[in-house]
Amino acid sequence: MSWWRGSKGADLDARGGKGRAGRSAGASARSVTYATSPLLASKTPPWRSKFLVALVALSFCGLLGRALYVQVIGAAFFQRQGEIRYARTLELPASRGRILDRNGLILASSVPAPSLWAIPKDLDADPAQRRSLARLLGMTPKELNNRLDDNPNFVWLRRQVDDQLAKDVLALDLKGVHQVREYRRQYPESEAATHVVGFTNVEGHGQEGIELADDAELVGRNGTRRVIKDRLGRVVEDIGDSVAPVDGRDVELSIDSKVQFFAYQRIRDAVAQNKAKSGSVVVLDARSGEVLALANYPSYSPNDRRNLTGGQLRNRALTDTFEPGSTVKPFIVGWALETGRVTPDTIIHTAPGRVSMGGFVISDAEPHGDLTVSQVIQKSSNIGAMRMGLMFQPREMWELYTKAGFGQKPQIGFPGAVTGRLRPYKTWRPIEQATMSYGYGLSASLFQIAHAYTVFAHDGEFIPVTLMKSAAQGEAARVSGLRVLSPKTVQEVRKMLGLVAGPGGTAPKAQTIGYSVGGKSGTAYKQEGKGYASKKYRSWFVGIAPLSHPRIIVAVMVDEPTAGKWYGGDVAAPVFSDLVQQTLRTLNVQPDLDVKTQIIAHDVPAEPESF
């Protein structure tokens, strides 16, 4: 045990010695004076510490000021900026009002249609998916890429598409591609009524026709909805109150869709049969002045306006003017009767069928010799009309034409209606007054000519016309207008117009089974530059029916017939005949002639028309 104790003691002595040495070293370290270090012994300038404290204080004041600006002074701005990043105002589209015919049938209406849009920066699609998307959208991959490159935040892919197409696109399940509901305009009557109804653009604003004329009433007022959206464009929450949309007001037209459709069909067929350039038809209600039909050919479908041309778009019955020719002769005769200068049996010398005046030659298609005033209208003699026209002072003729609407824009609130041309009477030379007696030297649209004939259909009054349905119907819808001729004079002129549609007249093909008709044909060379084309004609016929108690006025014009016939009595009168019969039956007008004993003169040769 002594060895153990010795050994342990030696060990303790060793550890003790080590402990003492450690204590000695610690005491030495604690005794070091750090001020003796050259680095620590250097004196710090007082301004440095003050500067550091000032910087800390200034930073604190800056942070405090910024917090004050953000939370108090600029709070509204920052709230607004925050809302921009997550809040959205969604537009709730109003449904555009419908356009209806006089019987309540739809001519134009709006139906829901999906529109496809995308956030390009979120679009995650490989090349194969992009090709599939482009194919569905009817684009090439390059066209799709160009569209997506336009704006990283929003682009329309296709608007107002079919439901199936929208489903097919969404079935691709592409991130960043979305759908929204809009309204698409549909036109059930298509090209038959498009020149009246018009069409809208993709934004729902009227571009032509009634869609443009009554856009303010049809468009309605859109509503709004404030929402919060996430970064994927999904609505998360509504904010505040929504404003409901107000749908547009329906517009009820005077047009009868059945009459309109038949008028379009008939003028289309006439243009084809006569190998013509174009054609127009106007049908007016002689009692109320309502437009029952207004059709043009060529036309177009408002549901598909691709490759649309200006010729298709033009509403020729309202925009195209031409010299009315022989259709003004009844006004000259009517005023000569009204003022007592002639009677229906007064003899007018037209031999030898040619008259030189002011370096010009006025001629008839055939020499007629002496004609009664009634025969001047029946045979459409230029010389007979000229001799009566020169009985008037220029001012008389000018006032007569002006009262009948020539040289004045039709007041129907329809875009594109033209004024025509009627120069001031003070500038007329004698030869100009002479030619104006048979319709040369002034110009008018087909609509203006039809409107002028309300004088003969409404007992001498020039009545206003309208495209809007009248609140009153039947006899209660009869309107009054500007007195131009007396009822007695008009009765005599009507008899003359009846002779035109009978044997020996220029338009026997205008006769209609069951109804008495009367009117005036017209044929004129087309103007080219400063003169007239030698082989280009415009043919028309305007008349009233039934002649005993006029209910409708029908005007037909065919431009540049080239199938071997060009007289108005051969080209336009048959269209008038068909339209009268169809329209009067549609309106439930009782026939005023005995069908069994009536002789239809369609096969009777027409008198050559002077033009």
Side-chain angles (χ1 to χ4, degrees), residues 38-249:
L39 178 63
L40 297 177
S42 63
K43 293 184 178 180
T44 303
W47 64 266
R48 184 180 295 179
S49 58
K50 292 178 181 179
F51 177 71
L52 292 174
V53 172
L55 281 179
V56 172
L58 200 58
S59 299
F60 179 76
C61 290
L63 292 173
L64 185 63
R66 180 61 178 172
L68 181 66
Y69 177 76
V70 170
Q71 297 295 330
V72 180
I73 300 174
F77 170 78
F78 287 102
Q79 286 178 350
R80 203 162 47 245
Q81 291 300 310
E83 286 186 4
I84 289 174
R85 286 159 176 77
Y86 66 81
R88 297 286 186 272
T89 299
L90 301 182
E91 192 174 73
L92 303 177
S95 178
R96 190 175 176 87
R98 300 175 300 170
I99 299 177
L100 310 173
D101 84 336
R102 65 185 301 105
N103 300 310
L105 297 177
I106 295 175
L107 299 176
S109 64
S110 296
V111 296
S115 290
L116 300 167
W117 61 281
I119 303 175
K121 66 181 181 181
D122 293 339
L123 184 61
D124 185 14
D126 57 37
Q129 290 174 318
R130 288 203 175 206
R131 286 195 297 271
S132 297
L133 178 61
R135 178 178 53 79
L136 289 173
L137 296 175
M139 306 177 185
T140 64
K142 183 179 180 180
E143 289 172 336
L144 176 61
N145 291 333
N146 290 339
R147 180 165 298 188
L148 293 173
D149 291 340
D150 282 346
N151 188 327
N153 297 312
F154 177 89
V155 291
W156 286 111
L157 296 177
R158 272 193 64 184
R159 300 185 68 176
Q160 300 175 7
V161 300
D162 295 333
D163 288 334
Q164 187 58 51
L165 175 58
K167 290 178 182 178
D168 292 342
V169 170
L170 295 181
L172 296 175
D173 197 24
L174 298 178
K175 180 182 176 182
V177 176
H178 307 280
Q179 171 185 311
V180 66
R181 278 287 180 184
E182 293 189 305
Y183 285 99
R184 179 175 59 196
R185 207 68 167 158
Q186 285 191 341
Y187 303 91
E189 293 299 314
S190 192
E191 65 267 18
T194 188
H195 287 110
V196 175
V197 178
F199 59 87
T200 64
N201 61 14
V202 72
E203 300 293 343
H205 297 298
Q207 302 297 294
E208 290 287 340
I210 293 297
E211 293 277 33
L212 175 60
D214 289 352
D215 187 61
E217 295 183 7
L218 289 164
V219 73
R221 188 172 66 248
N222 291 336
T224 57
R225 176 190 176 197
R226 288 287 287 173
V227 300
I228 295 176
K229 283 189 173 184
D230 64 12
R231 63 179 298 275
L232 298 178
R234 296 173 299 193
V235 175
V236 176
E237 182 183 353
D238 284 313
I239 306 174
D241 297 329
S242 298
V243 178
V246 178
D247 291 340
R249 186 179 71 83

Side-chain angles (χ1 to χ4, degrees), residues 587-604:
L587 298 177
N588 294 319
V589 176
Q590 293 297 319
D592 64 337
L593 294 179
D594 184 357
V595 177
K596 292 182 180 180
T597 59
Q598 184 183 5
I599 299 176
I600 300 300
H602 278 115
D603 295 328
V604 176

Side-chain angles (χ1 to χ4, degrees), residues 167-380:
K167 290 178 182 178
D168 292 342
V169 170
L170 295 181
L172 296 175
D173 197 24
L174 298 178
K175 180 182 176 182
V177 176
H178 307 280
Q179 171 185 311
V180 66
R181 278 287 180 184
E182 293 189 305
Y183 285 99
R184 179 175 59 196
R185 207 68 167 158
Q186 285 191 341
Y187 303 91
E189 293 299 314
S190 192
E191 65 267 18
T194 188
H195 287 110
V196 175
V197 178
F199 59 87
T200 64
N201 61 14
V202 72
E203 300 293 343
H205 297 298
Q207 302 297 294
E208 290 287 340
I210 293 297
E211 293 277 33
L212 175 60
D214 289 352
D215 187 61
E217 295 183 7
L218 289 164
V219 73
R221 188 172 66 248
N222 291 336
T224 57
R225 176 190 176 197
R226 288 287 287 173
V227 300
I228 295 176
K229 283 189 173 184
D230 64 12
R231 63 179 298 275
L232 298 178
R234 296 173 299 193
V235 175
V236 176
E237 182 183 353
D238 284 313
I239 306 174
D241 297 329
S242 298
V243 178
V246 178
D247 291 340
R249 186 179 71 83
D250 290 346
V251 172
E252 196 168 12
L253 302 183
S254 60
I255 296 294
D256 187 306
S257 59
K258 293 180 181 178
V259 177
Q260 177 72 27
F261 182 73
F262 188 78
Y264 171 74
Q265 277 191 324
R266 195 62 190 86
I267 193 63
R268 179 193 62 191
D269 294 345
V271 169
Q273 291 166 5
N274 292 282
K275 298 180 181 179
K277 184 177 180 180
S278 63
S280 300
V281 171
V282 178
V283 182
L284 302 180
D285 188 313
R287 296 185 307 190
S288 63
E290 294 172 296
V291 180
L292 300 177
L294 192 158
N296 299 278
Y297 186 83
S299 186
Y300 64 95
S301 171
N303 296 311
D304 182 6
R305 298 190 296 276
R306 290 174 295 181
N307 304 318
L308 181 62
T309 66
Q312 293 172 295
L313 188 64
R314 196 163 77 244
N315 191 338
R316 299 169 187 270
L318 283 165
T319 63
D320 288 13
T321 60
F322 52 91
E323 291 173 308
S326 298
T327 55
V328 303
K329 291 174 182 174
F331 292 95
I332 297 300
V333 170
W335 188 247
L337 293 171
E338 184 80 8
T339 55
R341 290 181 169 100
V342 298
T343 68
D345 298 321
T346 298
I347 298 298
I348 305 294
H349 300 285
T350 66
R354 294 170 63 87
V355 174
S356 295
M357 184 177 182
F360 296 90
V361 176
I362 299 172
S363 62
D364 287 338
E366 290 183 351
H368 297 293
D370 291 343
L371 297 174
T372 65
V373 169
S374 295
Q375 289 175 322
V376 166
I377 295 297
Q378 182 186 27
K379 308 295 183 183
S380 192

